[in-house]
Structures are given as structure tokens and as C-alpha cells.
Amino acid sequence: MMTGILFGLFFILVILNVPIGAALGLAASAGLIYADFPLSIIPGIMYSGTAKFALLAIPFFILAGVIMEHAGISRRLVDFANACVGHKKGGLIAVVVIVACFFAAISGSGPATVAAIGPILIPAMTQVGYGKSMPSALVAAAGAIGIIIPPSIAFVVYASIADASVGKLFTAGIIPGILVGVAYYYAAKWDSRKNPNIKLQPPMPMNQRIKAFKDAAWGLMTPVIILGGIYGGIFIPTEAAGVAVVYGLFVGMFVYKEIKFKDLKDIFVESAISSATVMFIVAAAAVYAWILTTSSVAKDLSEAMLSISDSKVVLLLLINIIFLIAGCFLDANSAYFILLPIIIPVLKHIGVDLIHAGVFLTVNMAIGQITPPVGVNLYVGCNVGGVSVTEICKKITPFIIAGIVALLIVTYVPQLSLFLPSFMK
């Protein structure tokens, strides 16, 4: 009965378009009432769920991403990538993937990456004959790399639940993130292979390439400072988020001079709204996870999964299917709070490293960001590309397939995730 209340009521509320945070909170409250727990324990659980030092990185990374967007860094990254490879066959496709990876290393958010690079790159691709639908789908898919390439908000939330190292997760996401980017590049190339309208851009003179590099240099240094500081042991991920904010403000106000003092209010309000949305979901999900664990529902479901098969290959495939389905309806943060109490005992039983698990589960959630009906990146891509949901959904299929192929490689070749973390202490 408890399982039906927690999962049944939650998915009914989601189908009724109730916000995820509210749906989690209402389902958890119903479970508490059924289990005869006093509702007065909710504030304490919500507080303990959010009062974690690692989670402090979330509002700082969100603020850093907003600052970088307002500072004009995304436009300069696009100009530099375009100057280098824009004239080659499939060059603009490569530009989208490269810039998405770089901006992902600044924002840590999929939708933020789409919103930052989409208004620049979708019109550019349309102008040379790609149309609007495929570029919108490509930008939506490439933007999802934002939660795989470090710094990643999804990794921070996963680490807080699984008691894993944020720094090692950040390191582990680099190679798989690049792999997913390469998969999306070839998916876009395949989709546009018979398009006769595509025109090659003329190559830029060397002096323009050098100028583009100089303009983008401060932006290119952002991931180097953030990730280099973490991996070099200069500061921890939470402190790196604060450094990113200070660096972004310095670049935006004193180097590029695109951020004025009067703009700070709007920047802080925008980031505060985004941060509050994420943290409310985390707080409500903490209550949901607590009742899920306390009522033994998580334990029973874990044992049920283990009773299906003893094969590591089969169980990993089953876990991926569960998360792929969950990604169609949930964001990564909500999915982790709901499913990790069930999945982690299974992963430990079959001997899967939790750092490796964090990576392939996050790749799952990245695919979920472009999967109907709730793929948030799709709707951001529609908005910035000026296309309908139907049009973008027709073009997103090759990217979903490419993402799943990359996911299976990341899942069954753990060395891709664990190679770089092996050099960390």
C-alpha cells in the first residue's frame, strides 16, 4: 500500500502537471500520514536534506552561469569555435558541440547551456541551409552535456545522496561528456547528409582567428580555473563555485565590460529564482526519500530487483531502463532522491563503483532532458529556435539513439569514467 501511495500519487500529480517539488512533497506527506508519522517532522527533514556543505555549490554555480551568460562569454566562445572549424564540412555542427562542452564547464546546467548558445547558433545554422528544426534539436541535445561535463549540479546532488566525492565525480564526467558530444556530432552529420541546401562558409583569415581567440581567452580560462583549482587541490568544489562567481564578475565588469552595476540586481534575482526552484525540489525530495527508506519500501524494491537476476550485465541494463523512463518525466535531482535509495544497494551488491554509477546515471538524465514528454531542453530549444514541439521531436530521434549508444558504452566500459579519478588522491 505504501508503495502505491508514494509512487502512484506522485505520478498522478506529475501527469496532472503539478510542479515536481509540490508533487514530491504531497506524495511524501500522504505517506507520512499513512505510516502514522506526525507532519511536524517535515521541516526538520527538509532542513537536514538541504543543510549540506556540498549543496552550497548549487546556488553559486547557478549564479556563475547567469553571470557568464550576461558577460557575453557564450558569444565569444561561438565566434572562436566558428573561426577555427566553421568553414569545414559539418563545421557548424562541431561548433555547437564544442561550445556546448565549454559552456557546460561554466554553467553546470543543461537548460542554461541551451538558452545561452541557442540564440546565436540556431540562426547561424539556419542561414547556411540547415533549416531550424535540426539545429534546434542539436542545440537541445548538446546542451544536455551541461550536466555531464563538470561542474555539474546533478553530480553535486548525487554526491550528497550517495556519499561520494564531488571532485572525483567531476573528474569522471569529462571523458564520458566528450563521448556524448561526439555521438551527437555524428548524429547531426547523419541527419543532414542528404540536405542539398547546406552551404560552406569561407575560411576566416588567420588574423581574424587570432582576434577571436584573444576575445574568447578569458572565457576559455573559466573551466581551466574552476577544474584546475579542484584537481590541483587549491580549493574544493564548493569553494570553486564561489571562485567562479568572483571570476565571472571580474571578467564581465572589468574585462568585457558588458555587466554594469545596474545589471547586478537582475542577475542576482534570476539566479535566486533558479536556485530556489532547485533547492525546494531538493528539500521536498529529502522528505520523500526519508519516508521511502524508513517505510522499507526502498529495501523491498531493491530485493525485488536482485531477485530478477544475478547477472551484472542484466541488472545494469535494467537500472538504465528505469532511469531512461524516469528521465522522460523527472529532472535529475528529483530522480536521484526517488530512485537512489532503491538503486544504491543493488549497485553495491553487484560491485559497481559509485563514482562510475554516478556518471552513467547522469548520462541517463542528460538523455532525459531531450526525451518527450517532459524533456526540458526540448522546450527551451523550441523557444530559442522558434519551432514547434512537433518539429523538434521529429528531429530529436537520432540524438536520443546516439545518446543511448554512448550510455551503453559508458555503462559497460567503466574505465572511461574511472581513468581520470584514479589519479586523484
Side-chain angles (χ1 to χ4, degrees):
M1 183 64 180
M2 177 63 81
T3 304
I5 292 173
L6 290 176
F7 289 97
L9 179 57
F10 171 72
F11 281 107
I12 289 172
L13 292 171
V14 170
I15 292 170
L16 293 175
N17 208 29
V18 175
I20 294 294
L24 285 166
L26 290 170
S29 298
L32 289 171
I33 293 171
Y34 178 79
D36 203 26
F37 285 107
L39 294 180
S40 59
I41 67 174
I42 292 178
I45 298 172
M46 294 179 80
Y47 174 78
S48 62
T50 54
K52 298 178 180 178
F53 185 70
L55 294 180
L56 189 61
I58 293 176
F60 276 114
F61 278 130
I62 289 175
L63 176 57
V66 174
I67 290 170
M68 300 297 179
E69 182 182 347
H70 283 264
I73 288 177
S74 57
R75 186 182 71 252
R76 289 172 170 85
L77 290 174
V78 169
D79 290 343
F80 174 56
N82 196 33
C84 293
V85 298
H87 61 284
K88 298 180 180 294
K89 188 176 181 180
L92 275 178
I93 295 173
V95 170
V96 172
V97 174
I98 292 168
V99 173
C101 288
F102 267 102
F103 198 82
I106 297 171
S107 71
S109 166
T113 303
V114 177
I117 69 175
I120 306 169
L121 285 168
I122 294 174
M125 294 188 73
T126 302
Q127 190 175 2
V128 296
Y130 283 96
K132 282 188 175 182
S133 300
M134 194 283 284
S136 299
L138 171 60
V139 169
I145 300 172
I147 66 170
I148 308 172
I149 295 282
S152 162
I153 293 171
F155 280 156
V156 174
V157 173
Y158 175 90
S160 71
I161 301 170
D163 195 25
S165 165
V166 177
K168 287 187 176 181
L169 281 166
F170 279 6
T171 313
I174 295 174
I175 295 176
I178 293 171
L179 175 64
V180 173
V182 171
Y184 288 156
Y185 169 78
Y186 282 105
K189 288 265 289 184
W190 181 87
D191 185 84
S192 58
R193 70 195 185 284
K194 295 181 181 179
N195 187 340
N197 301 316
I198 298 173
K199 299 171 290 187
L200 292 179
Q201 300 179 96
M204 287 192 180
M206 184 55 67
N207 64 329
Q208 290 189 26
R209 297 186 190 187
I210 294 172
K211 182 179 182 300
F213 170 73
K214 289 180 179 178
D215 287 343
W218 287 92
L220 294 171
M221 283 298 295
T222 307
V224 175
I225 291 172
I226 296 173
L227 303 179
I230 294 173
Y231 307 147
I234 300 171
F235 38 70
I236 61 175
T238 304
E239 294 168 342
V243 172
V245 170
V246 175
Y247 179 79
L249 283 174
F250 172 77
V251 172
M253 298 181 73
F254 302 109
V255 180
Y256 293 154
K257 299 181 180 178
E258 295 201 16
I259 296 178
K260 311 298 181 186
F261 278 103
K262 65 180 181 180
D263 299 325
L264 293 179
K265 178 184 175 182
D266 292 337
I267 289 173
F268 288 136
V269 168
E270 182 181 343
S271 60
I273 292 171
S274 298
S275 299
T277 302
V278 174
M279 295 309 292
F280 178 74
I281 291 173
V282 170
V287 182
Y288 190 98
W290 186 88
I291 185 63
L292 193 68
T293 304
T294 305
S295 62
S296 296
V297 170
K299 180 183 176 183
D300 293 342
L301 292 175
S302 298
E303 291 175 351
M305 285 186 65
L306 290 171
S307 67
I308 294 173
S309 174
D310 288 329
S311 170
K312 183 175 181 179
V313 173
V314 172
L315 286 172
L316 284 176
L317 183 61
L318 178 60
I319 289 170
N320 276 324
I321 291 172
I322 291 171
F323 270 83
L324 281 171
I325 295 172
C328 295
F329 302 95
L330 302 172
D331 63 283
N333 303 331
S334 305
Y336 284 161
F337 274 99
I338 295 170
L339 296 173
L340 284 183
I342 301 167
I343 299 300
I344 286 178
V346 178
L347 292 170
K348 289 181 177 178
H349 180 82
I350 60 178
V352 175
D353 188 287
L354 290 184
I355 298 296
H356 171 222
V359 175
F360 73 73
L361 293 179
T362 302
V363 173
N364 258 297
M365 292 295 99
I367 297 171
Q369 289 190 341
I370 59 170
T371 307
V374 188
V376 63
N377 280 21
L378 287 181
Y379 298 103
V380 179
C382 290
N383 185 46
V384 299
V387 297
S388 67
V389 175
T390 303
E391 288 177 299
I392 200 170
C393 284
K394 288 179 181 177
K395 289 293 185 179
I396 203 66
T397 303
F399 299 101
I400 295 175
I401 294 171
I404 291 174
V405 171
L407 167 64
L408 292 174
I409 294 172
V410 173
T411 300
Y412 292 110
V413 186
Q415 292 80 6
L416 290 174
S417 303
L418 300 177
F419 174 69
L420 291 180
S422 67
F423 293 100
M424 298 180 67
K425 294 180 180 179

